[in-house]
């Protein structure tokens, strides 16, 4: 069974990590169900295991948390839907690359419900939107902005951390970092792309597309 958990007020990052680690231990020892946790954080930066100090442009802008997830620097804050995935990859296949692609597919499918065409890129993890409305890159290529960032960790074949989707986040807050170490492309949100929606509507789409991305769930609608 997959338990869907939703937090109505922003959750402190350290508290979220502690809760995830407890759930991961419970899934592995059989005392807890798999879970998807939908939440927001107060404004903060996180540094993944591959973060480079040169990509932290303004260390004093928001609190910085070192994270044991993969990836580099990212921003979390209000207006961003975070979905933490605590799933048993023993049951769902011990293939980390396939799992990351499934997360991307999940976010892309949810975004499509709002008329947004998200794309995967082999050289860049996350979900990207082609910006034909913006000037091209110096090499003549089209700019692509990230709308969903992914960072996961696997412990004893149970996943935690997950994906963050920019719904109505303040994009200026990304200015204190080089998001995920990528300088040639920017970040965007549903709101910047002209889609004004609510977290509950985004959550509804994430729940709707969960099984197509990750396989059967005994509790697809949550509680």
């Amino acid at each position: 069974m997959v338990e869907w958990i939703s937090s109505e007020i922003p959750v402190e990052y350290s508290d979220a990590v502690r809760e995830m680690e407890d759930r991961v231990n419970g899934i592995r020892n059989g005392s807890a169900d798999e879970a998807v946790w939908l939440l927001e954080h107060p404004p903060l930066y996180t540094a993944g295991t591959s973060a480079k100090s040169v990509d932290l442009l303004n260390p004093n802008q928001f609190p910085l948390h070192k994270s044991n997830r993969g990836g580099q620097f990212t921003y979390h804050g209000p207006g961003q839907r975070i979905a933490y995935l605590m799933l048993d990859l023993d049951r769902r296949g011990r293939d980390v690359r396939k799992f990351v692609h499934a997360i991307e597919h999940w976010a892309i499918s949810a975004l499509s419900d709002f008329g947004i065409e998200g794309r995967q890129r082999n050289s860049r993890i996350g979900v990207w939107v082609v910006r034909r409305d913006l000037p091209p890159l110096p090499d003549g290529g089209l700019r692509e902005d990230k709308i969903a960032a992914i960072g996961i960790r696997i412990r004893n074949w149970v996943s935690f951390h997950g994906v963050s989707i920019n719904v109505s986040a303040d994009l200026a807050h990304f200015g204190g970092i080089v998001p995920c170490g990528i300088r040639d492309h920017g970040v965007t949100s549903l709101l910047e792309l002209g889609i004004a929606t609510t977290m509950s509507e985004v959550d509804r789409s994430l729940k709707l597309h969960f099984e197509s991305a990750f396989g059967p769930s005994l509790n697809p609608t949550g509680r």
Side-chain angles (χ1 to χ4, degrees):
M1 180 177 292
V2 176
E3 180 183 7
W4 287 82
I5 305 164
S6 182
S7 295
E8 299 299 325
I9 61 174
V11 178
E12 293 293 335
Y13 187 77
S14 57
D15 293 339
V17 172
R18 184 169 54 253
E19 292 288 338
M20 283 191 287
E21 290 181 340
D22 287 346
R23 175 64 69 127
V24 166
N25 292 335
I27 293 169
R28 180 46 56 226
N29 66 31
S31 64
D33 292 326
E34 296 178 300
V36 179
W37 187 6
L38 305 171
L39 70 151
E40 295 172 83
H41 285 308
L44 58 92
Y45 295 133
T46 66
T49 56
S50 300
K52 301 173 183 177
S53 59
V54 68
D55 291 335
L56 181 59
L57 306 179
N58 186 354
N60 299 317
Q61 186 167 358
F62 296 119
L64 174 65
H65 297 263
K66 290 186 177 181
S67 175
N68 56 11
R69 61 158 176 81
Q72 302 187 43
F73 285 105
T74 194
Y75 164 78
H76 293 314
Q80 185 183 73
R81 172 49 84 221
I82 297 170
Y84 285 142
L85 294 161
M86 290 151 279
L87 302 178
D88 187 350
L89 299 191
D90 266 338
R91 293 176 51 199
R92 299 178 182 274
R94 288 190 174 196
D95 189 328
V96 176
R97 183 181 297 273
K98 182 178 178 181
F99 181 59
V100 171
H101 287 168
I103 299 173
E104 292 172 335
H105 166 73
W106 184 41
I108 288 170
S109 297
L111 289 167
S112 71
D113 290 344
F114 302 93
I116 293 176
E117 183 181 358
R119 301 189 180 191
Q120 295 170 297
R121 289 291 180 256
N122 291 333
S123 60
R124 292 182 259 122
I125 292 175
V127 177
W128 301 83
V129 177
V130 176
R131 300 300 302 271
R132 293 183 175 84
D133 57 321
L134 296 177
L137 298 173
D139 63 3
L142 291 174
R143 185 173 125 177
E144 296 182 349
D145 287 350
K146 181 179 280 191
I147 194 168
I150 294 169
I152 63 166
R153 183 169 178 82
I154 309 295
R155 179 180 296 164
N156 297 322
W157 291 108
V158 179
S159 70
F160 56 121
H161 298 282
V163 60
S164 57
I165 300 174
N166 297 326
V167 179
S168 58
D170 186 339
L171 300 180
H173 289 177
F174 285 88
I177 58 172
V178 178
C180 302
I182 297 172
R183 297 177 181 271
D184 293 337
H185 300 276
V187 292
T188 190
S189 67
L190 278 84
L191 185 60
E192 187 189 45
L193 296 173
I195 308 299
T197 188
T198 65
M199 288 296 179
S200 62
E201 290 173 331
V202 173
D203 294 348
R204 188 178 302 113
S205 290
L206 289 171
K207 292 177 181 180
L208 176 65
H209 294 285
F210 180 85
E211 289 192 0
S212 67
F214 302 106
S217 164
L218 296 179
N219 186 20
T221 58
R223 63 178 177 84

